[in-house]
Each structure stands twice: as structure tokens, then as C-alpha cells.
Amino acid sequence: MVDAIVLAIAVFFGWMILDVVKTKKLTGEVVIQAGFVGIVAGILWYGIGVLLS
């Protein structure tokens, strides 16, 4: 569970940094999009971990 949370946070910040570099500005849309991608990545990582254990 902890590794899924760490991955979700890392994906969130990575996605946000890449999007801010691409658009040259930080908007609410970028934060919401990065949050959604981070949550989905965390859920998928946790699901894969449950299936493989």
C-alpha cells in the first residue's frame, strides 16, 4: 500500500512538472489533471500488487 502511495505522489509531481514545462504556466487544470493521473496510477499499481501477491 505504501509503495502505491509513493508511486501516485511521484506520478503526480512528475506529470505536473512536465506539463508546467510544456505550457510555461501552472493552472488549476494542470493540477487536477496531474492529480487524476496520480490517483489512477496508484490504484492500478495497488491492484497489480494485490494480483501478484
Side-chain angles (χ1 to χ4, degrees):
M1 179 75 168
V2 173
D3 55 341
I5 294 170
V6 170
L7 177 78
I9 292 169
V11 168
F12 169 74
F13 282 115
W15 192 278
M16 193 164 53
I17 288 169
L18 288 174
D19 217 13
V20 167
V21 167
K22 182 177 73 175
T23 62
K24 307 271 191 293
K25 58 185 169 184
L26 179 63
T27 62
E29 180 183 350
V30 169
V31 174
I32 291 170
Q33 183 181 11
F36 179 74
V37 171
I39 290 171
V40 169
I43 290 171
L44 287 175
W45 190 260
Y46 180 73
I48 290 170
V50 168
L51 288 174
L52 294 178
S53 62

